[in-house]
Amino acid sequence: MAGHMVSPAGNRRKAAVLLIGLLSASLLLLAVGAAVGSTGFESLRHLQDDPVARQIVMEIRLPRTVGAWLAGALLGLAGAVAQGLFRNPLADPYLLGSASGATLGGALAMVWMGVSPASASLLARMGITGVAFAGAAGAVLLTLMLARGAQHTLRLLLAGVIVGVVLGAARDLVELGSPEILQAMQAFTLGTTAFVGWSAVGLMAASWLICAATALALARALDGLTLGEATAASLGLPLAPMRAGLIAAMALATGTAVAHTGLIAFVGLAAPHLVRSMVRVTHPWHVLLSGCMGAVLLLAADVLARWLIAPQELPVGVLTAALGGTYLLWLMHRRMAGASGAGGAT
């Protein structure tokens, strides 16, 4: 057994190596993302002498590539916080109803404004994004009201499920009453980075900085909760305000990502799992690494979605769901096989 033990210093070294690897992969994928699109590598080759090619690369490909990285970072961070907060490895960032609130907000904005996320008007796109974010924030507040605060994890979880179901039903009613928005809503619910511009990148970057700083500052609460509620309280941690701060960070990260890219499945769930399978560290490291892992996963999926059937593209949310679901099925199979093997050995 002693041969398999890894010291905390060894874990920190492994975490630093993993962080460097993820950042290196991010830089490589950012370069590839700038080169992949409906016009192939032609736009990149004629970047200097063709204004149209320059616009395609600088105003379309680069912002959506950076936006995919940031959206993945937000979802990965939110997933790590959710799993630590609920002490459940199957928890994902959408548990508090933010995804349903964002899609309901997006549907209402499309009905009121008569536009879609593909609209050429920056004001229209920002309007839909703003209402979607307000819907996500409103859903989380409603969940907190139903749960009577953030003190009871199980009550919060159940309230989030109820709010998600009710707001999802409300979105379906809006779509039935306004069938002209169905196609635009399909793009939103399947997930896409196609409508991300530099303004969205700025908002997501600011949100990520705020959420990362909050989560890192309050990560001691997540470390304490791994030992149990009573033990965490006995350590002198102010659990109620720390839990509220973590929920706020999770809600802001999730709401910002969903408002700009729609529903991206499995990134927030799979990223913390992948980090745990590579290195065991305390939550400050885990939150940081999960954000970087989520960024790499979503950016890689976005590049694949643009490349697989070019010049057309797949909805990136469909691709992440297929790849993430496959990974989790394999993980479950491996654990069941390991458990049965251990049982047979005894």
Side-chain angles (χ1 to χ4, degrees):
M1 290 291 291
H4 295 287
M5 295 292 286
V6 180
S7 67
N11 273 331
R12 285 195 294 271
R13 280 195 297 271
K14 286 178 66 177
V17 169
L18 178 58
L19 180 62
I20 293 169
L22 290 171
L23 292 176
S24 301
S26 297
L27 290 173
L28 176 63
L29 287 167
L30 287 168
V32 174
V36 174
S38 59
T39 57
F41 291 92
E42 290 298 316
S43 297
L44 205 61
R45 280 204 291 265
H46 298 290
L47 190 62
Q48 298 298 324
D49 52 13
D50 187 349
V52 175
R54 192 179 306 117
Q55 184 177 21
I56 288 172
V57 174
M58 302 303 295
E59 299 300 326
I60 297 175
R61 290 185 187 175
L62 272 180
R64 75 173 292 180
T65 299
V66 177
W69 192 93
L70 286 166
L74 287 165
L75 291 173
L77 180 149
V81 171
Q83 291 177 15
L85 200 58
F86 294 109
R87 286 175 285 166
N88 187 338
L90 294 177
D92 86 341
Y94 301 151
L95 275 178
L96 299 185
S98 55
S100 298
T103 53
L104 175 60
L108 290 172
M110 290 175 202
V111 172
W112 293 335
M113 302 177 190
V115 293
S116 76
S119 170
S121 166
L122 174 64
L123 184 62
R125 289 204 303 270
M126 292 300 291
I128 291 173
T129 300
V131 177
F133 179 78
V140 173
L141 288 175
L142 182 58
T143 298
L144 289 170
M145 286 173 59
L146 287 176
R148 297 177 185 174
Q151 288 81 13
H152 301 285
T153 303
L154 182 59
R155 189 190 296 168
L156 191 65
L157 185 60
L158 291 174
V161 171
I162 293 167
V163 168
V165 170
V166 172
L167 295 185
R171 183 204 70 204
D172 292 340
L173 288 174
V174 171
E175 290 177 351
L176 285 172
S178 305
E180 69 275 6
I181 70 167
L182 283 174
Q183 187 174 1
M185 278 304 297
Q186 185 182 43
F188 193 82
T189 54
L190 292 179
T192 180
T193 60
F195 312 124
V196 174
W198 285 119
S199 57
V201 166
L203 287 170
M204 283 194 281
S207 176
W208 184 82
L209 287 173
I210 293 169
C211 295
T214 303
L216 291 173
L218 301 177
R220 287 184 308 137
L222 297 177
D223 285 334
L225 285 171
T226 59
L227 304 173
E229 195 96 14
T231 306
S234 70
L235 294 173
L237 295 174
L239 284 182
M242 293 179 88
R243 189 185 277 117
L246 288 166
I247 288 173
M250 182 177 72
L252 178 60
T254 308
T256 304
V258 172
H260 288 96
T261 61
L263 300 183
I264 305 290
F266 276 105
V267 171
L269 180 60
H273 273 279
L274 282 169
V275 171
R276 272 194 299 271
S277 70
M278 295 177 184
V279 62
R280 294 282 181 171
V281 285
T282 55
H283 273 92
W285 270 105
H286 183 66
V287 167
L288 181 62
L289 289 170
S290 295
C292 291
M293 182 66 76
V296 169
L297 288 177
L298 184 51
L299 182 50
D302 187 58
V303 170
L304 270 178
R306 286 187 262 163
W307 174 72
L308 284 175
I309 56 171
Q312 297 181 341
E313 64 179 74
L314 289 168
V316 68
V318 174
L319 197 57
T320 58
L323 296 176
T326 303
Y327 165 72
L328 290 177
L329 284 172
W330 171 80
L331 188 66
M332 187 170 67
H333 171 73
R334 192 182 70 168
R335 287 185 176 178
M336 288 174 65
S340 62
T346 57

